[in-house]
Amino acid sequence: MKQHGKSGQGTQAEQRGHGVQTSEDAGKLYVVATPIGNLGDISARALAVLAQADLVAAEDTRTTGHLLAHHGIAAKLIALHEHNEMQRAAELVARIKAGKTIALVSDAGTPGISDPGALLVARARQAGVTVCPIPGANAAVAAMSAAGLSAPHFLFYGFLPVKSAARRAALEALRELPYALVFYEAPHRVTECVDALAAILGGEREIVIARELTKLFEAIHSCRLDQAGAWLAADANRQRGEFVLIVSGAPAEASAGLPDEAERVLRLLLAELPLKQSVALCAAITGARKNELYARALELRD
Ligand code: SAM
């Protein structure tokens, strides 16, 4: 850890409780969230960590160099991206074990979230290195916070597969979940993706299209899923920039939709037997899925 000011006293930021500690902190890996657009969206603690780290491991050293320069920080940078993470992880862990402090950043938002970083973190943890997250911007959470969906739960999916058969299979596996689904998508695929969402998840669901969050052309639009394609097509600007797509969860009926026979048998059994036994017998008699029967049995019991 670079020392600023008198040894052991820390910088002004540290004394205010914002920053990192001094010597006893040597040999840690900090996972530092950076802005997803607006360069002001970075915490005082993140800036202190970046200023004092011996090395900043960055997905793209130019992008991070720009951010650091904006905040007046001169740091030593090293590239760590999806193509070299495997080799570089071992080297960086060795440096941390030798007492150096490394800050890991990605191009935007939180490292390891649809971004490189998880491998270095895993290697560091395996080697007994302390890993400290420095939380901050994340596009999915920012979009969720401004979506206004009354969803108590959401599932972060990130990027769907690019090929249509694989994307269809992924969406079919998500179709019945009663949770809001959060996707990342690139601008050149957003229309195709929205069409697939409508076709596979059902056009009556709500979608929130969050574009260019925290940037000049930030826009958040919600509509029925089957209207989203036309809305995007109505103005080419609507297909530009970075996107988070949030789709409301499967309606309750869809997730509780047992076949009639399974529903009838389950009700009969529940009237006579304990819940677990009823579920097991009903699964054996009707071939319905145990987890679906179990969820339905809980509903009926309540
Ligand atoms: N690690 C990042 C995070 O914490 O959100 C995500 C990185 S991922 C490689 C990039 C994707 O995140 C973009 O393609 C887009 O789907 C989403 N994203 C990033 N910044 C965004 C923004 N300002 N507005 C909307 N979506 C954004």
Side-chain angles (χ1 to χ4, degrees):
M1 178 73 66
K2 283 188 245 167
Q3 300 289 310
H4 295 270
K6 277 195 199 159
S7 172
Q9 289 185 355
T11 62
Q12 273 187 340
E14 287 159 12
Q15 287 158 7
R16 286 197 303 269
H18 290 154
V20 284
Q21 303 301 302
T22 49
S23 51
E24 71 272 22
D25 250 5
K28 280 189 184 171
L29 174 64
Y30 287 96
V31 184
V32 183
T34 58
I36 55 168
N38 188 316
L39 293 184
D41 291 336
I42 185 161
S43 72
R45 186 166 171 238
L47 292 174
V49 166
L50 291 169
Q52 291 169 51
D54 295 301
L55 195 58
V56 175
E59 187 180 3
D60 182 329
T61 51
R62 279 166 308 174
T63 305
T64 301
H66 177 58
L67 172 73
L68 295 180
H70 177 84
H71 290 286
I73 294 172
K76 199 168 162 209
L77 290 157
I78 187 168
L80 179 126
H81 43 69
E82 57 176 336
H83 305 295
N84 73 356
E85 192 175 0
M86 194 93 85
Q87 310 89 285
R88 197 128 274 179
E91 174 195 334
L92 293 181
V93 168
R95 290 206 202 187
I96 300 170
K97 292 290 270 183
K100 298 292 181 197
T101 287
I102 295 183
L104 167 70
V105 297
S106 62
D107 280 357
T110 303
I113 308 297
S114 297
D115 261 343
L119 196 98
L120 172 61
V121 168
R123 293 280 186 280
R125 291 170 56 78
Q126 281 158 11
V129 163
T130 305
V131 179
C132 303
I134 308 292
N138 166 254
V141 171
M144 215 37 218
S145 74
L149 291 174
S150 55
H153 309 289
F154 68 91
L155 184 145
F156 171 68
Y157 193 88
F159 291 100
L160 282 160
V162 173
K163 296 207 168 133
S164 66
R167 184 172 52 210
R168 167 172 284 279
L171 288 174
E172 279 171 354
L174 299 171
R175 183 166 47 202
E176 307 296 325
L177 297 177
Y179 315 125
L181 303 171
V182 184
F183 302 100
Y184 285 166
E185 194 48 278
H188 58 282
R189 275 195 291 267
V190 70
T191 303
E192 191 186 316
C193 178
V194 158
D195 289 346
L197 293 173
I200 298 158
L201 299 179
E204 71 294 342
R205 293 207 206 178
E206 183 178 358
I207 183 168
V208 178
I209 302 175
R211 185 168 75 86
E212 292 289 88
L213 294 172
T214 77
K215 302 189 208 176
L216 188 59
F217 296 109
E218 176 180 275
I220 302 174
H221 175 77
S222 39
C223 61
R224 270 176 59 117
L225 198 37
D226 56 7
Q227 291 165 359
W231 183 82
L232 285 170
D235 180 347
N237 287 323
R238 293 177 182 169
Q239 299 156 41
R240 299 211 166 101
E242 299 197 274
F243 289 87
V244 181
L245 305 172
I246 306 177
V247 180
S248 60
E253 320 77 83
S255 48
L258 286 181
D260 288 350
E261 177 64 0
E263 174 84 16
R264 192 181 68 80
V265 172
L266 183 64
R267 282 173 182 267
L268 286 173
L269 291 168
L270 277 173
E272 305 295 333
L273 297 169
L275 187 140
K276 263 180 129 175
Q277 207 180 345
S278 304
V279 168
L281 279 173
C282 188
I285 295 167
T286 66
R289 285 205 198 139
K290 261 196 191 155
N291 58 349
E292 286 173 15
L293 289 168
Y294 193 76
R296 181 64 181 141
L298 287 175
E299 280 176 7
L300 289 170
R301 189 192 63 184
D302 294 342

